[in-house]
Amino acid sequence: MLEFKSEAFAIAPGEDEATNPGIFGKALAEWLAGELIARGHAAGEVIAEDFGWCVPVESKPHALYVACASADEQPGSWRVFAFAEGGLLGRIFRKDTRDEDVARIYGSVKAAITARVDVRDVLEEPA
């Protein structure tokens, strides 16, 4: 997980109605979707979840996501992490690539975020 501070990602009025109250990150997720596409990943439309805003990333045989959410109820504080779902057959037949795929997406996310001049105080927390 990455935590960082930036005022670059505006919060739209009522944005947290699609998530839980006080959970924002739609602008961050939309920006990251564009960055992932620019870096060669097949990112889809941003979707709202209870815990934040997710960028689906096309991957087989499992689903990959990058989740974005506000952090610590502080304006301009953000959390981003990547995760995978599914892949039961891969795990059964020992061809599970979820860890590698998550690491690849996470690397692209980290590179995009740390390249911005308007991002500060980046902290990386192990999963």
Side-chain angles (χ1 to χ4, degrees), residues 21-111:
I23 303 294
F24 305 101
K26 185 176 182 182
L28 171 58
E30 289 172 342
W31 172 77
L32 268 176
E35 286 295 308
L36 289 171
I37 290 168
R39 294 168 191 276
H41 302 286
E45 293 291 319
V46 170
I47 55 175
E49 292 290 346
D50 291 351
F51 54 86
W53 293 87
C54 289
V55 179
V57 180
E58 190 175 306
S59 180
K60 300 285 184 203
H62 45 262
L64 287 176
Y65 299 92
V66 175
C68 304
S70 48
D72 302 327
E73 298 184 20
Q74 299 281 332
S77 293
W78 305 102
R79 286 188 182 120
V80 176
F81 62 94
F83 66 97
E85 291 182 336
L88 178 62
L89 290 178
R91 285 180 288 194
I92 291 171
F93 295 108
R94 301 190 190 280
K95 296 177 185 175
D96 187 2
T97 61
R98 288 179 304 156
D99 290 344
E100 294 88 0
D101 293 340
V102 167
R104 182 174 41 84
I105 293 299
Y106 178 82
S108 291
V109 167
K110 182 178 176 183

